[in-house]
Each structure stands twice: as structure tokens, then as C-alpha cells.
Amino acid sequence: MNRPLDLLTSGIASSLRLWRGTWGDRPAAKTPKQLLALYDREDGAECRLVREALTELNLDAMVYPCPAGGQRFAAQRPATAPDNSDAPVLVDPNSKQTLVGAATIVPYLFERYLDRDVPLAMRASLPNLLAARLAGLVRSPLGLSARPSIAPEQPLVLYSFESSPYSRPVRERLCELELPYQLINLGKGQWSDMGPSAPRVLAPARYKPVPGTKRDAFFQRHGKVQVPYLIDPNHGVEMFESQAILAYLERTYAA
Ligand SMILES: N[C@@H](CCC(=O)N[C@@H](CS)C(=O)NCC(=O)O)C(=O)O
């Protein structure tokens, strides 16, 4: 897909979900000690609602992509989940629970990690699922089906947030190539975080993330906050820029 069309349809996908999965720098009531695991299909409607909740609750997860026809994680995907469906499966080692489907996972995350009920706009209700399905259709067939790929020894790391139009194509590619990754959500925490990383339209003078947050830690390390940002420990690679990341994944892992 050409670049302007790619970004346009990615923006439309986020708009269809009213940019849910953008704000995320709120303190969770409880921070999980151990990393959550999500069996995910990037284009799946239910998976999208779960990833939105992860961003808005400021939670990270190890993502095991399960595209249509994918085999890499089929054996380890918990047996309670229907085979070859796009239902998300969340494994929470902290509570030792395995949950299947957005209607179960989203309320669980809100209750356990924020002590609150799920807001209407994030429930797995028919209108939200329809909008999430439409968002998938707008991006179709990206992030849907498995492609032959080389399995990495160690999972990759991706800094992202759900609605980010630049990060979505990277997540789609990770999904198609069945590359497991630690998803680190850098949702926005204040108005000056909004918009692209350059120019910082809402903070033209001096951009500063909210102190003590994940964004702040990222800023201290890189001198800016910008997603997507990929780390590949298998090859000692760390990189910004969505197009460069896509090209890297293709030449390194597509078989
Ligand atoms: N040219 C970059 C643009 C990336 C970009 O601007 N990403 C936005 C999110 S979609 C961002 O990092 N905004 C600043 C922020 O979230 O603080 C790319 O293609 O990766």
C-alpha cells in the first residue's frame, strides 16, 4: 500500500473507534507484577477492544500474534479458546486466570487494574464491536493472515499506543509474520502529548512529558517521545520511523 493511503486508512480505523486507545497515562490502581500475555489478531474486532483497554489502563503485555492460518502459537494458545478464531485470549499470571473474548477480558482489566467499571465506549457492545469490525475492514487484509517467516529466538519490543496511525502498520506486520513482542503502551497523558512527535504542535516551546511516567522515562533515554519504536534484541537493533521498521521486519523475518 502506498504511504499516504496507508496512513489515511490507519487514521480512519482510529476515527471509527473515536480514537479510543489514545489516552493512557493514568495511574493504574494496581500495577501487575508479572507481564500479561495476549493472544491477539491485529485486525480482530474483539482484539482491538482489548488493546484499547490495555492502552487506556496503561498496561503492557506480551503479545503472541495469532493471524488466520498461523501455527506458531497455536499449540500454546490456551485450549479454552476456539481454534483459529479471532477471539483474544488474556493470560494473567498475577491472578492465574485465563480469559477469552473481549466481553470477559475488558471488564476484568478495568475491575482488577483500575477498580472501576468499564466506560460505555469501551464495552464489547454491539455498536463498539461493529465499529471495531469496520476499522478492521478499512485496513483489510493487513494484519489478518499469516505469512511464512523466520521465528525469532527472543521476543521483540514495541513502543506504541493503540490508536497511533503510524504504529498500526507495524503491529499488522508483526502479526502477519507471527513475531511475538512485548507491547509497551505509551498512551497520552496531557494535551501537549497530542499530535505527531515533530513538530510538537501543542508544545512548540519545550515539550515535557508528565514526570515519573513511562513517557518520561522514554524521553530521558531518547530526548524525544515518538512511536512506533522497535527493539530487536536478536540483532541488537533499536529504531524509530515506521517505514524503516516495516522494511527491517520484512528483510529480517519474512521467509
Ligand atoms: N515519521 C514517524 C512519525 C511517528 C509519529 O509522529 N508518531 C506519533 C504517534 S502516531 C507520535 O509519536 N506522537 C508523539 C507522541 O505520542 O508523543 C514514523 O513514521 O514513525
Side-chain angles (χ1 to χ4, degrees):
M1 197 186 287
N2 74 43
R3 178 76 168 161
L5 189 60
D6 195 17
L7 291 177
L8 177 70
T9 55
S10 189
I12 292 174
S14 299
S15 302
L16 281 163
R17 284 298 301 134
L18 304 175
W19 295 84
R20 282 286 160 183
T22 299
W23 289 102
D25 235 358
R26 58 170 125 186
K30 282 187 219 152
T31 305
K33 285 206 173 79
Q34 297 178 71
L35 197 59
L36 307 173
L38 178 67
Y39 293 80
D40 172 71
R41 183 176 299 175
E42 177 62 32
D43 99 314
E46 293 195 38
C47 294
R48 191 179 308 273
L49 297 186
V50 171
R51 294 192 311 266
E52 287 173 2
L54 289 175
T55 293
E56 301 223 1
L57 292 168
N58 201 13
L59 296 170
D60 302 330
M62 184 61 70
V63 175
Y64 297 104
C66 300
Q71 291 304 316
R72 191 161 294 155
F73 300 110
Q76 78 180 58
R77 193 166 185 260
T80 43
D83 277 352
N84 203 25
S85 101
D86 62 359
V89 180
L90 182 92
V91 180
D92 186 343
N94 306 284
S95 63
K96 302 193 180 9
Q97 291 199 58
T98 297
L99 302 109
V100 182
T104 315
I105 298 172
V106 175
Y108 167 82
L109 289 173
F110 270 84
E111 278 153 31
R112 179 164 177 100
Y113 291 110
L114 196 64
D115 274 338
R116 295 234 184 107
D117 280 347
V118 192
L120 272 180
M122 303 197 68
R123 289 193 186 156
S125 60
L126 192 58
N128 289 336
L129 284 166
L130 277 176
R133 174 61 67 207
L134 266 180
L137 286 175
V138 166
R139 294 295 290 167
S140 185
L142 299 167
L144 169 64
S145 303
R147 293 168 44 200
S149 69
I150 298 158
E153 268 178 32
Q154 298 177 65
L156 282 59
V157 179
L158 180 72
Y159 287 80
S160 170
F161 59 86
E162 179 54 27
S163 70
S164 160
Y166 290 95
S167 302
R168 180 171 292 109
V170 171
R171 296 195 310 262
E172 288 164 346
R173 190 66 56 91
L174 290 165
C175 183
E176 290 168 7
L177 297 175
E178 297 182 88
L179 303 175
Y181 59 100
Q182 183 178 346
L183 172 67
I184 302 185
N185 277 311
L186 290 187
K188 318 263 186 186
Q190 56 183 352
W191 283 106
S192 58
D193 293 343
M194 285 295 172
S197 103
R200 279 273 166 202
V201 274
L202 296 181
R206 171 102 171 82
Y207 171 68
K208 209 175 165 323
V210 179
T213 59
K214 279 192 282 181
R215 280 183 159 257
D216 191 28
F218 191 94
F219 185 77
Q220 306 289 338
R221 180 155 179 238
H222 300 284
K224 63 177 176 180
V225 178
Q226 180 177 309
V227 298
Y229 181 71
L230 182 84
I231 302 177
D232 184 351
N234 303 287
H235 296 280
V237 162
E238 305 205 2
M239 63 203 298
F240 286 105
E241 291 302 328
S242 52
Q243 273 187 302
I245 296 173
L246 289 171
Y248 170 78
L249 293 174
E250 200 62 31
R251 70 171 177 272
T252 312
Y253 290 111

